């Protein structure tokens, strides 16, 4: 609602005012309830088309007509949710209109009725009944009615919390694993789809549950709980352009809320290559960077992966571009963590390669709260090297080390981590700007398969040394390697060969073999493989 207030514009025409509110609601909609609210306001804007003003009767009729739009927003509508309160409130206004002398008295009476309906939602859904709480979306709509009545009687908007609705204790709602059929809450906005909405609904329904498909003019907004967001994105990009994506890992969110393991939260971006199982087991919150390709927007590791991007590149001459994470998503993620932790440590890709560090720093400063601490660390690394720093942070968190000590050690440890990657050629890296274009042209003309690394300042660099196996031999003789990982871009065979070589020299296996993020993969090309290791430091 705050986004709607901030981004909508009041006009002398009811048509334009409701149109502005509808646009703001659509833009800001998140989750089931947000989508339903957006569709509700969209319905109101449609009934107001061509009108400068509305009578009270027309306004009430508009509210009731909008309920149909709200129900149509959900593939499988359920009573006991926001939908129930919307329907009952509209029906009450229509039924009781002639019993009240003024509109404000009617709204006041309807508000008290809405409180009663809200309380009854506890009995309509099993999960709410078991937890003895009302539906959060339904509560939000009643708060909207409260605000509507307050504005009618005072003429002003107030930040003061005037709600009489009981505060929902989210800890009481046991969204345990048995209630979670799919892992990812996925939302996408797609433009240019000519197909009928029902065909898109059938497509989305096949990917999971809680599916919502709505058309707003030339846009289709999609919401679904699924385990395969990257496959859904791949299908949708074939029939339209994905202009917006958001994916939340509900399992990690759920575990943090109900089964939090550690007192300090770890936040990182998707450039840090860590196994999915490790991320979930340790409740690590990840922020996806954005990839833009052929006009569609993808979320690194969520709605695209290395295999998908290489298949796409085969069929297109358009070269993908990367972008910083969505600012609103960063803030939303940090707010969530600060609700459940007093201390958060964030580790980002090198600031010389991305603006992610700056964006996360800005969000952390904006959300600064007394008694809460967020430290955002520029790793000056990427890929498996950044993953090693994040893994080291988690090791210290698990050991119970003090927050300040962990932060201090991480700034020192990042200097002890290196990465070396053998790539097929420098064409991809040169196109991305990670290495000079001249270097790419020279390497290509000589048929050289170079090795790249990251210098002490966090910049990508091309090494004079080309033999990665000889480099490992030299490193094994000169340095004490504490732990290492093997990474690759769709080249598991070479990764396994390198693992065998490294294990023989170092005397112990890698922590893991991991496919590189889709963004880094696109920039260094298919077939790359490498090693990242952490030396034993003095911390």
């Amino acid at each position: 609602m705050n986004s709607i207030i901030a981004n909508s514009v009041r006009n002398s025409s009811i048509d334009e005012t409701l149109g502005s509110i509808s646009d703001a609601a659509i833009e800001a909609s998140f989750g089931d309830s947000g989508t339903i609210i957006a569709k509700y306001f969209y319905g109101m804007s449609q009934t107001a088309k061509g009108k400068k003003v509305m009578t009270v009767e027309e306004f009430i009729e508009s509210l009731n007509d909008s309920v149909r739009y709200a129900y149509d927003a959900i593939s499988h509508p359920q009573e006991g949710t926001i939908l129930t309160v919307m329907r009952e409130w509209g029906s009450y206004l229509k039924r009781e209109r002639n019993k009240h002398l003024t509109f404000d008295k009617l709204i006041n009476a309807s508000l008290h009725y809405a409180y009663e309906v809200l309380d009854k939602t506890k009995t309509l859904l099993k999960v709410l009944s078991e937890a003895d709480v009302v539906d959060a979306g339904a509560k939000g709509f009643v708060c909207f009615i409260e605000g509507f009545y307050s504005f009618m009687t005072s003429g002003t908007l107030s930040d003061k919390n005037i709600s009489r609705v009981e505060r929902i204790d989210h800890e009481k709602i046991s969204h345990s694993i048995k209630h979670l059929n799919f892992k990812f809450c996925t939302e996408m906005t797609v433009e240019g789809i000519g197909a009928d909405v029902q065909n898109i609904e059938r497509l989305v329904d096949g990917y999971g549950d809680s599916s919502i498909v709505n058309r707003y003019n030339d846009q289709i907004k999609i919401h679904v709980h699924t385990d395969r967001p990257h496959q859904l994105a791949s299908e949708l990009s074939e029939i339209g352009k994905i202009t917006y994506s958001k994916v939340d890992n509900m399992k990690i969110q759920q575990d943090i809320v109900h089964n939090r393991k550690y007192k300090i939260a770890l936040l990182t971006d998707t450039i840090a290559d860590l196994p999915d199982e490790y991320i979930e087991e340790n409740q690590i919150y990840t922020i996806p960077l954005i990839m833009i390709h052929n006009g569609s927007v993808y979320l690194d590791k969520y709605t695209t992966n290395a295999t998908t991007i290489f298949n796409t590149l085969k069929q297109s001459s358009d070269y993908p571009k990367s972008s910083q994470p969505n600012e609103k998503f960063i803030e939303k993620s940090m707010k969530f963590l600060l609700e459940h932790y007093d201390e958060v440590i964030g580790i980002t890709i090198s600031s010389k390669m991305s603006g992610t560090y700056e964006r996360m720093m800005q969000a952390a400063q904006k959300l600064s709260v007394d008694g809460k601490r967020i430290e955002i660390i520029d790793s000056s690394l990427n890929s498996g090297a950044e993953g090693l720093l994040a893994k080291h942070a988690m090791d210290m968190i698990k050991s119970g080390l003090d927050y300040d000590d962990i932060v201090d050690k991480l700034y020192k440890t990042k200097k002890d981590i290196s990465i070396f990657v053998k790539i097929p050629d420098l064409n991809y890296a040169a196109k991305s700007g990670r290495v000079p274009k001249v270097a790419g042209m020279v390497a290509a003309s000589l048929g050289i398969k170079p090795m790249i690394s990251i210098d002490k300042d966090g910049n990508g660099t091309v090494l004079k040394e080309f033999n990665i196996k000889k480099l490992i031999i030299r490193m094994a003789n000169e340095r004490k390697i504490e732990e290492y990982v093997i990474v690759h871009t769709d080249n598991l065979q070479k990764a396994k060969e390198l693992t065998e070589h490294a294990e023989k020299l170092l005397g112990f296996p890698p922590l893991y073999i991991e496919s590189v993020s889709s963004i880094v993969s696109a920039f260094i090309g298919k077939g790359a493989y490498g090693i990242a290791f952490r030396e034993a430091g003095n911390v």
Side-chain angles (χ1 to χ4, degrees), residues 400-511:
L401 204 62
D402 179 77
Y403 179 83
D404 291 321
D405 287 339
I406 293 174
V407 169
D408 180 62
K409 289 178 184 295
L410 286 173
Y411 278 110
K412 295 175 181 176
T413 300
K414 73 176 192 174
K415 299 173 184 177
D416 298 324
I417 298 176
S418 305
I419 185 168
F420 303 94
V421 179
K422 185 77 173 174
I423 62 176
D425 58 62
L426 282 175
N427 286 330
Y428 285 95
K431 287 179 182 178
S432 70
R434 264 50 179 185
V435 299
K437 289 186 178 181
V438 173
M441 293 169 62
V442 171
S445 65
L446 297 176
I448 295 172
K449 294 184 177 181
M451 188 154 55
I452 58 174
S453 184
I454 299 174
D455 65 23
K456 60 182 178 62
D457 296 319
N459 295 296
T461 182
V462 182
L463 302 181
K464 295 179 181 178
E465 192 166 0
F466 299 141
N467 192 315
I468 193 167
K469 291 185 177 180
K470 287 184 178 179
L471 181 140
I472 295 174
I473 293 172
R474 179 165 57 81
M475 293 295 176
N477 291 330
E478 295 177 359
R479 309 179 189 183
K480 183 180 179 183
I481 307 301
E482 194 75 21
E483 55 188 4
Y484 69 99
V485 300
I486 302 295
V487 293
H488 67 96
T489 59
D490 210 18
N491 195 352
L492 185 57
Q493 181 181 342
K494 280 291 187 182
K496 287 181 176 179
E497 290 176 10
L498 188 62
T499 297
E500 187 177 334
H501 177 75
E503 188 170 350
K504 188 180 296 183
L505 285 169
L506 299 173
F508 59 95
L511 293 172

Side-chain angles (χ1 to χ4, degrees), residues 147-401:
F148 181 54
Y149 175 68
S150 175
F151 182 76
M152 283 184 61
T153 54
S154 69
T156 60
L157 293 171
S158 173
D159 292 331
K160 186 179 179 182
N161 182 12
I162 59 170
S163 178
R164 282 178 46 190
V165 182
E166 67 170 309
R167 184 175 181 83
I168 295 178
D169 182 0
H170 291 282
E171 303 298 331
K172 288 168 65 178
I173 304 178
S174 179
H175 290 299
S176 58
I177 299 302
K178 65 182 179 181
H179 296 301
L180 194 61
N181 297 319
F182 298 94
K183 187 187 300 183
F184 299 109
C185 176
T186 303
E187 296 180 8
M188 298 182 196
T189 301
V190 190
E191 293 183 354
I193 293 183
D196 186 81
V197 170
Q198 290 183 339
N199 291 332
I200 304 301
E201 284 177 348
R202 283 192 287 271
L203 169 66
V204 176
D205 273 344
Y207 275 89
D209 62 19
S210 300
S211 60
I212 305 172
V213 177
N214 286 305
R215 183 184 287 278
Y216 301 97
N217 301 321
D218 61 340
Q219 292 184 341
I220 287 182
K221 295 200 75 170
I222 291 163
H223 170 280
V224 65
H225 293 171
T226 180
D227 289 332
R228 300 175 291 146
H230 66 285
Q231 291 180 14
L232 175 60
S234 181
E235 282 207 62
L236 290 172
S237 65
E238 292 178 3
I239 55 178
K241 293 190 184 300
I242 302 170
T243 58
Y244 170 80
S245 298
K246 181 187 76 70
V247 178
D248 287 316
N249 188 319
M250 296 185 293
K251 182 181 184 304
I252 289 179
Q253 290 177 336
Q254 183 183 73
D255 287 346
I256 288 173
V257 172
H258 301 292
N259 301 295
R260 197 188 78 183
K261 290 184 175 181
Y262 315 114
K263 67 176 185 177
I264 300 172
L266 181 59
L267 173 71
T268 189
D269 55 56
T270 50
I271 300 299
D273 292 322
L274 292 163
D276 290 341
E277 299 79 9
Y278 181 84
I279 289 171
E280 289 186 4
E281 179 187 344
N282 292 285
Q283 300 172 354
I284 300 172
Y285 218 88
T286 58
I287 303 289
L289 271 71
I290 294 171
M291 175 178 283
I292 303 167
H293 187 233
N294 285 335
S296 283
V297 176
Y298 300 94
L299 301 180
D300 183 37
K301 289 187 179 176
Y302 284 96
T303 61
T304 187
N305 55 33
T307 301
T308 302
I309 198 64
F310 286 134
N311 289 338
T312 305
L313 285 172
K314 285 180 185 177
Q315 305 164 17
S316 171
S317 58
D318 181 55
Y319 192 76
K321 300 177 179 64
S322 66
S323 177
Q324 301 165 25
N326 181 283
E327 185 176 0
K328 289 182 180 178
F329 185 78
I330 291 175
E331 290 185 13
K332 180 171 172 282
S333 300
M334 286 187 179
K335 282 180 182 177
F336 170 77
L337 292 176
L338 289 172
E339 287 174 1
H340 301 284
Y341 297 89
D342 291 331
E343 297 168 329
V344 179
I345 294 173
I347 295 174
T348 76
I349 177 178
S350 170
S351 61
K352 298 297 177 64
M353 298 179 179
S354 167
T356 301
Y357 169 73
E358 289 297 332
R359 182 156 285 187
M360 288 180 67
M361 277 290 291
Q362 290 168 3
Q365 291 166 0
K366 184 177 180 180
L367 298 174
S368 177
V369 179
D370 289 342
K372 304 275 187 176
R373 296 198 287 177
I374 308 178
E375 183 75 22
I376 305 299
I377 298 173
D378 176 3
S379 73
S380 301
L381 303 164
N382 74 354
S383 185
E386 184 188 349
L388 275 177
L389 187 64
K391 190 262 179 188
H392 188 57
M394 180 49 64
D395 286 344
M396 291 189 285
I397 289 171
K398 290 162 80 170
S399 74
L401 204 62

